[in-house]
Amino acid sequence: SHWGGATNREMKRLMLGHALRFVERVDFRVGETNLRSRRAMEKIGGRLTDRTERLDGPNGPIVHVVYEIDRESFANGPLSP
């Protein structure tokens, strides 16, 4: 019931703001075929990189794409304070 709501958005803003005080960039790994999560990442300002990760799962390979949010894009993006 809280997906995409104001509480969810504020939690993401607070967590990213805290993390970016200590690191320049936050990376997110999202399942390549998980379109809902990929759209959500783009909605909060995640930038798709050219990096991928491949894991061996019980039913075969699992591919993740990597999104990133850095300090500058966070400060100027949709979650900016």
Side-chain angles (χ1 to χ4, degrees), residues 12-30:
K12 288 176 182 169
R13 187 187 71 74
L14 289 169
M15 288 189 297
L16 281 165
H18 178 75
L20 290 167
R21 288 175 50 209
F22 302 99
V23 297
E24 177 64 31
R25 181 185 75 228
V26 177
D27 290 345
F28 298 85
R29 285 143 185 86
V30 179

Side-chain angles (χ1 to χ4, degrees), residues 56-62:
D56 292 323
N59 298 318
I62 302 168

Side-chain angles (χ1 to χ4, degrees), residues 1-16 36 40-41 43-44 79:
S1 67
H2 291 87
W3 285 12
T7 301
N8 185 291
R9 181 179 181 82
E10 180 65 6
M11 285 301 299
K12 288 176 182 169
R13 187 187 71 74
L14 289 169
M15 288 189 297
L16 281 165
R36 182 180 190 144
M41 278 306 311
K43 186 176 177 180
I44 67 166
L79 293 179

Side-chain angles (χ1 to χ4, degrees), residues 24-54:
E24 177 64 31
R25 181 185 75 228
V26 177
D27 290 345
F28 298 85
R29 285 143 185 86
V30 179
E32 182 178 48
T33 60
N34 187 340
L35 299 181
R36 182 180 190 144
S37 291
R38 290 182 68 167
R39 276 186 251 121
M41 278 306 311
E42 292 163 5
K43 186 176 177 180
I44 67 166
R47 184 182 66 81
L48 180 63
T49 70
D50 60 354
R51 294 176 284 152
T52 61
E53 289 188 3
R54 180 185 166 133

